[in-house]
Amino acid sequence: MDDSEATVRKLRRQQAALAGFGSFALRQSDLLKVLTEAAEVCAHCMDVPFSKVCRYRPDENDLLVEAGYGWKNGVIGNVVSRADASSPQGRAFSTGRPSICRDLRADGEFVLPGFYAEHGVISTVDVIIKGNGEPFGVLEIDNDHQSDYDQHDIDFLTGFANVIAEAVATSARTDLLRSTLAVMTTAVDEKDRLLDQKNVLAEELQHRVRNNLQLIYGMLYKQLYDTQDVDGRRGLKAIARRVSTLAQVYDHLLGSEMTRTTDFGAYVTSLCVSLGEIQATTGGSIALTCESETILIDLDAVTALGLIVTELAANSFDHAYPGGRGTIAVAVHEVPGDPETGILTVRDDGPGFTVDPEGRRHGLGLVRRLVEQLGGSVTVDFTPGTLWTIRFPIRSAAA
């Protein structure tokens, strides 16, 4: 086998390993497992006995071995160096460029921990692991033989480092969502506790739950501005929109006597004003109108119907008007001659789009589940534009 054929085979093996690792990283929620797998795969593909992933610690300005492959006990979890040019990995981190050291024995400017000599490390290659803002750290391979590395090796390791960076960003978003859910759970538990204390419902329940929801909303939008990933931003924006809808319920209740029912017509009018203001920031010319009459229903039904309005209106804003112009009309009224049934309609005059109302895309799966929760029904008509009609029971909702 000549050198060119060996190089091609090596590149194919590295490309397959990178693709396989990318698939693994997307499925794995445990960041440490992702980092450990990255270290092992890199070591195998580069034919070296050791590799490690080092995490930058800004308060200490150093690099900590977060995960690795081939090392004796005691290496992983310890600091490897300062985050400066006094070490190969520190040089890569501080300059942002790959660092290749073919023979550590001949380079006296580096300050290295004792485990390098203990493991007989001679050659190293370091590439930076990017992050939102400052880098996450570095990916390093270590060889106990003197080796020469080329641009193909750097490209391979850089590709791995980029996948690791995305896994780190995904882990951060997951941690945020978990903390958000924990705050929401605390808010719900607090609400349930306060419901048993009738003397503090009106003064405390509404304010504290509303404030918790606004806190969650702020956390989500801060992360939204820090997130560059398109799918991540779409998911965070959808959650934030739903949390804002829940907060709107409590804004509507503030100042009124706490009861188990409220005027859904007045609430949806206020909600549409807020939704129109939020969507107006997109710079388009899409109007949102609301026509409603007084319908007293249970607070849980108000929340569910408010989320339905939010999802359908947002769906029309996002998908119904490629040209950025049109009108979305929301209406709430009782069925004529049937005071026990209400009708909510959301109509847009866009060109229309084909979608399965039973599916999960564009938040429509949530709409279907909420309608089922209410004991209602939903129909959709796509000609012309799109018209959603939700029928819901008034008596059972207020019972």
Side-chain angles (χ1 to χ4, degrees):
M1 181 187 305
D2 58 27
D3 290 343
S4 61
E5 185 178 353
T7 299
V8 169
R9 288 195 175 186
K10 177 183 176 182
L11 291 175
R12 287 178 177 174
R13 185 175 73 251
Q14 290 180 346
Q15 289 173 353
L18 182 58
F21 172 70
S23 177
F24 170 82
L26 290 175
R27 299 193 310 269
Q28 179 58 249
S29 60
D30 187 329
L31 180 60
L32 182 58
K33 291 183 178 179
V34 173
L35 300 182
T36 302
E37 179 73 8
E40 181 174 355
V41 174
C42 282
H44 289 324
C45 285
M46 296 296 294
D47 293 324
V48 298
F50 315 108
S51 66
K52 56 182 174 287
V53 177
C54 301
R55 173 173 59 87
Y56 174 60
R57 300 194 302 176
D59 292 340
E60 296 81 2
N61 192 35
D62 61 17
L63 293 165
L64 180 77
V65 181
E66 192 78 8
Y69 174 78
W71 304 102
K72 296 178 182 179
N73 291 336
V75 173
I76 297 174
N78 284 329
V79 173
V80 65
S81 70
R82 301 286 296 169
D84 54 31
S86 62
S87 67
Q89 60 274 5
R91 182 171 63 184
F93 182 86
S94 59
T95 64
R97 297 189 299 271
S99 173
I100 300 176
C101 185
R102 293 177 174 82
D103 192 346
L104 291 173
R105 299 168 298 183
D107 200 331
E109 67 181 52
F110 290 140
V111 178
L112 299 173
F115 69 80
Y116 274 74
E118 181 183 352
H119 290 77
V121 175
I122 296 176
S123 299
T124 66
V125 180
D126 293 87
V127 294
I128 196 165
I129 301 172
K130 298 178 181 179
N132 288 329
E134 64 188 13
F136 172 80
V138 295
L139 170 64
E140 177 178 293
I141 61 167
D142 304 90
N143 202 340
D144 55 4
H145 293 83
Q146 184 172 346
S147 302
D148 292 324
Y149 298 99
D150 57 22
Q151 188 60 43
H152 293 308
D153 297 320
I154 294 296
D155 292 343
F156 168 69
L157 291 174
T158 300
F160 249 83
N162 290 339
V163 176
I164 293 173
E166 182 57 32
V168 170
T170 300
S171 177
R173 290 194 296 268
T174 300
D175 289 343
L176 172 68
L177 292 178
R178 286 174 178 168
S179 63
T180 299
L181 289 174
V183 173
M184 293 184 71
T185 300
T186 301
V188 172
D189 291 343
E190 181 75 353
K191 185 196 73 168
D192 291 341
R193 184 184 70 81
L194 292 174
L195 282 174
D196 296 331
Q197 302 175 13
K198 301 294 185 180
N199 59 326
V200 296
L201 283 178
E203 296 179 2
E204 187 143 348
L205 174 63
Q206 298 169 8
H207 287 280
R208 296 184 70 171
V209 175
R210 191 270 311 265
N211 291 342
N212 278 328
L213 290 171
Q214 289 180 340
L215 172 63
I216 296 168
Y217 185 82
M219 291 170 61
L220 288 167
Y221 260 85
K222 181 181 184 303
Q223 183 65 21
L224 178 63
Y225 291 128
D226 292 339
T227 299
Q228 301 301 317
D229 177 68
V230 174
D231 291 335
R233 288 178 59 85
R234 185 181 297 114
L236 287 171
K237 185 175 181 180
I239 296 172
R241 187 174 61 239
R242 293 161 188 170
V243 171
S244 176
T245 302
L246 296 177
Q248 188 80 15
V249 172
Y250 286 92
D251 282 336
H252 182 68
L253 292 175
L254 286 176
S256 64
E257 181 181 356
M258 172 61 86
T259 63
R260 283 300 301 166
T261 60
T262 192
D263 181 2
F264 176 63
Y267 164 71
V268 79
T269 298
S270 175
L271 176 62
C272 286
V273 171
S274 296
L275 289 174
E277 292 174 350
I278 293 173
Q279 296 292 345
T281 61
T282 61
S285 300
I286 302 174
L288 176 62
T289 66
C290 182
E291 177 182 351
S292 61
E293 61 186 42
T294 299
I295 299 180
L296 295 178
I297 58 176
D298 179 80
L299 291 179
D300 291 337
V302 169
T303 301
L305 288 167
L307 287 170
I308 290 172
V309 172
T310 299
E311 293 300 320
L312 294 180
N315 194 61
S316 291
F317 271 111
D318 293 341
H319 304 288
Y321 301 105
R325 292 181 176 276
T327 300
I328 303 168
V330 177
V332 178
H333 56 84
E334 292 181 357
V335 173
D338 183 7
E340 296 181 1
T341 304
I343 290 183
L344 164 67
T345 60
V346 180
R347 179 196 297 271
D348 67 61
D349 56 358
F353 60 97
T354 301
V355 65
D356 179 8
E358 298 297 319
R360 296 176 177 267
R361 296 188 63 186
H362 308 311
L364 303 185
L366 175 62
V367 170
R368 177 178 55 80
R369 291 191 296 272
L370 289 171
V371 172
E372 291 175 352
Q373 173 186 317
L374 291 169
S377 63
V378 57
T379 59
V380 59
D381 181 7
F382 297 106
T383 306
T386 305
L387 170 63
W388 292 88
T389 302
I390 292 90
R391 290 176 176 261
F392 57 93
I394 296 177
R395 172 177 291 182
S396 61

